Amino acid sequence: MSYARFQTVPVGNLRVHVCATDKFKTNTLSAMIQQELSPQIVTKTALLPLVLQRGTETYPTTLQLKQRLEELYGANLFADVYKRGERHVLQVGLEIANEQYLRAPASLLEEGVAFLSEVLTRPVTENGGFKESYVAAEKKNLKQKIESLKDDKIRYAAQRCIEEMCAGEPYSLFNYGRSEDLDHIDAQSLYTYYRDLIRLRPIDLFFVGNVSVDEVVRLVERHFPTDQAERVPVETGEVRHTVNEVKEVVDRLDVKQGKLNLGCRTQVSIRDDDYVALMMYNGILGGFPHSKLFVNVREKASLAYYASSRLESHKGIMTIQSGIEIANYQRAVDIIREQLDAMRQGDINEVELEQTKATLINQLRERQDRSYDLIDAEYHSILSGRPRPLEQLVEELKQVTKADVQRVAEKVQLDTIYFLRDKGEGTADAAN
């Protein structure tokens, strides 16, 4: 099959990435801004996408902003923050109709680029800062978002496991920040921070759809402020981390089902030669319904309601998550550790290997069908500093052997066992 490819062009101190394809009926425009993950600024960064979506110089009220989106044939404005290893990424984007499918003016793409630029670089201001009422309202919304984490016990347990495992490391921070910081953020200090972020940190602009590189470059030059000042790269930590002792942590809340999460250091990141073998390792261990965790912990032993694993490719960690009966804690820990040992010993059969390859390759090919996934895959590649186009990833996966997977398995170290359980006394088999 043919794979969509991005072409990258520097425009001033911005990096512009264009994927010209006629596969979609919409054009997707996305700005990605890198910042370091740091306790001092994590909450400010998380607040920005909420405030930026409230109003601009030309459309100062939220109603006017929404009306402008309607005028742009129901365009969709989106913004959020993500963790990519020890980078905090602010995304602001726009999905807009491809004018070829509408009786629309030929300038629809240009109007979209101009609108996105204004949202990102010309927010509504007052008294030398953001509009105070917007900041106050969005601080409340962000506080609610942070505090609601506790209501989603699966996400809460995942975050607590990371906090304990990565204590003292930037990656321990929640991507939406800390509620205790919000009282110290005002409209002026947030605006000052925003101006520095936009001016100093790396910005990547992505365009996917029925567009041409020349046209996109011309529109970026016309509508985005660009200059030659060098942007400051975000420094990230070392992924290799020796585990001297496995940490065990138990939290007690009002829950009926236990959440058992394990955190492992893989010693491998997306920029390493062994990363593709690590993808296979994770797939065989817990990525899919045919994987060892699902089959052995959930199906055969009936110990878990769900059991899976996932990678954080930039930080070099793998997490295992499961939902269990509280009394089954020790048995579940033992059988999960048995699966890690089986991987280390090369206890991998041909069916597991080939099924995982086929499923991973199918997943990668499906990314071609969603513009958001194309952008996400390309940005992972940019952040890693090691370009791996999708077709290259597919070819590398085809070459992975059982020996490659076992070599990676030998590097993986269990770091933290986290258990979220009820407030009761429990039984002899449950964690204390």
Side-chain angles (χ1 to χ4, degrees):
M1 69 178 286
S2 62
Y3 292 88
R5 297 293 297 268
F6 281 85
Q7 189 173 334
T8 298
V9 181
V11 179
N13 59 6
L14 306 173
R15 290 181 298 201
V16 177
H17 314 276
V18 182
C19 177
T21 172
D22 58 5
K23 186 177 260 188
F24 309 112
K25 291 190 174 179
T26 58
N27 293 326
T28 303
L29 293 53
S30 182
M32 304 285 207
I33 307 168
Q34 295 178 47
Q35 178 58 292
E36 62 183 328
L37 258 179
S38 148
Q40 290 76 27
I41 56 176
V42 62
T43 312
K44 286 182 177 178
T45 307
L47 192 53
L48 283 177
L50 300 172
V51 174
L52 290 174
Q53 291 181 93
R54 291 301 301 268
T56 71
E57 287 179 7
T58 310
Y59 313 102
T61 71
T62 307
L63 179 60
Q64 288 171 315
L65 198 76
K66 287 180 176 174
Q67 285 172 338
R68 180 56 181 154
L69 288 167
E70 284 305 312
E71 289 169 7
L72 294 171
Y73 292 83
N76 176 40
L77 177 67
F78 55 92
D80 209 343
V81 284
Y82 313 95
K83 290 197 302 186
R84 294 290 180 262
E86 292 182 344
R87 291 180 176 90
H88 207 185
V89 176
L90 165 62
Q91 179 184 32
V92 181
L94 187 72
E95 187 175 10
I96 192 164
N98 181 342
E99 54 211 26
Q100 290 197 342
Y101 294 99
L102 299 170
R103 290 177 183 169
S107 63
L108 187 59
L109 177 64
E110 178 160 11
E111 289 183 38
V113 173
F115 181 76
L116 179 62
S117 174
E118 181 160 347
V119 170
L120 194 63
T121 65
R122 291 166 51 208
V124 62
T125 58
E126 65 180 17
N127 305 321
F130 285 117
K131 191 173 173 70
E132 288 187 19
S133 61
Y134 291 169
V135 172
E138 295 311 329
K139 279 167 64 174
K140 280 185 186 173
N141 287 335
L142 184 59
K143 185 173 187 178
Q144 195 173 4
K145 193 178 277 195
I146 294 166
E147 291 176 351
S148 70
L149 177 66
K150 220 167 191 176
D151 300 330
D152 183 337
K153 297 300 187 289
I154 292 176
R155 285 177 60 236
Y156 176 77
Q159 174 59 25
R160 284 287 298 122
C161 181
I162 291 295
E163 283 175 4
E164 294 291 342
M165 178 179 174
C166 301
E169 300 172 51
Y171 193 72
S172 65
L173 293 163
F174 184 40
N175 64 309
Y176 290 127
R178 309 178 302 185
S179 55
E180 61 266 30
D181 297 338
L182 289 165
D183 287 342
H184 308 292
I185 299 172
D186 59 34
Q188 281 72 31
S189 65
L190 185 64
Y191 185 70
T192 301
Y193 169 69
Y194 152 80
R195 295 300 302 164
D196 286 343
L197 177 68
I198 291 289
R199 185 170 52 88
L200 297 174
R201 286 302 189 184
I203 299 180
D204 291 272
L205 300 176
F206 294 86
F207 297 81
V208 177
N210 204 336
V211 297
S212 72
V213 174
D214 290 345
E215 179 185 24
V216 167
V217 168
R218 178 175 56 79
L219 295 178
V220 170
E221 287 174 338
R222 182 178 298 169
H223 294 287
F224 275 83
T226 61
D227 60 40
Q228 299 303 321
E230 193 172 346
R231 293 182 178 272
V232 183
V234 175
E235 300 297 327
T236 57
E238 174 59 60
V239 301
R240 286 158 191 82
H241 185 107
T242 303
V243 180
N244 297 314
E245 186 180 359
V246 176
K247 199 184 295 184
E248 290 195 55
V249 179
V250 178
D251 278 350
R252 288 176 175 268
L253 287 177
D254 188 13
V255 296
K256 290 186 171 61
Q257 185 192 108
K259 307 293 183 224
L260 174 60
N261 290 52
L262 285 72
C264 301
R265 305 278 184 169
T266 69
Q267 325 300 341
V268 175
S269 82
I270 192 171
R271 71 178 72 92
D272 295 319
D273 290 345
D274 272 340
Y275 175 65
V276 179
L278 180 65
M279 289 173 68
M280 282 289 293
Y281 170 91
N282 177 66
I284 294 167
L285 177 69
F288 306 109
H290 67 258
S291 303
K292 289 186 182 294
L293 289 174
F294 190 91
V295 170
N296 294 304
V297 184
R298 184 182 185 276
E299 298 291 296
K300 288 185 181 174
S302 300
L303 283 176
Y305 300 101
Y306 61 89
S308 64
S309 62
R310 66 178 296 273
L311 294 174
E312 206 305 332
S313 57
H314 296 276
K315 180 64 178 168
I317 62 178
M318 179 185 71
T319 52
I320 295 168
Q321 40 282 325
S322 64
I324 63 170
E325 291 290 340
I326 289 157
N328 290 338
Y329 169 77
Q330 195 56 54
R331 287 174 63 212
V333 169
D334 291 345
I335 201 165
I336 289 171
R337 294 186 83 153
E338 283 172 17
Q339 308 317 305
L340 293 169
D341 288 340
M343 296 292 290
R344 216 169 281 123
Q345 289 156 16
D347 181 9
I348 300 161
N349 62 48
E350 201 61 29
V351 172
E352 288 173 318
L353 196 70
E354 292 309 315
Q355 263 193 300
T356 301
K357 267 186 198 180
T359 312
L360 278 171
I361 288 168
N362 192 48
Q363 274 190 348
L364 289 173
R365 286 175 172 160
E366 283 178 354
R367 285 184 183 179
Q368 297 285 303
D369 300 329
R370 295 180 292 270
S371 57
Y372 297 96
D373 286 349
L374 285 171
I375 291 170
D376 187 56
E378 183 70 8
Y379 196 50
H380 274 294
S381 191
I382 291 163
L383 293 180
S384 73
R386 179 168 180 167
R388 268 198 185 99
L390 285 175
E391 64 267 34
Q392 183 183 328
L393 259 181
V394 168
E395 288 310 309
E396 287 185 35
L397 276 168
K398 288 177 181 176
Q399 305 306 316
V400 174
T401 64
K402 176 178 155 181
D404 295 328
V405 177
Q406 187 176 1
R407 183 181 67 249
V408 166
E410 288 166 357
K411 298 180 184 182
V412 176
Q413 291 182 289
L414 178 60
D415 183 298
T416 299
I417 300 171
Y418 169 85
F419 188 43
L420 175 61
R421 60 159 298 170
D422 61 358
K423 293 180 176 179
E425 293 305 308
T427 71
D429 192 30
N432 296 323

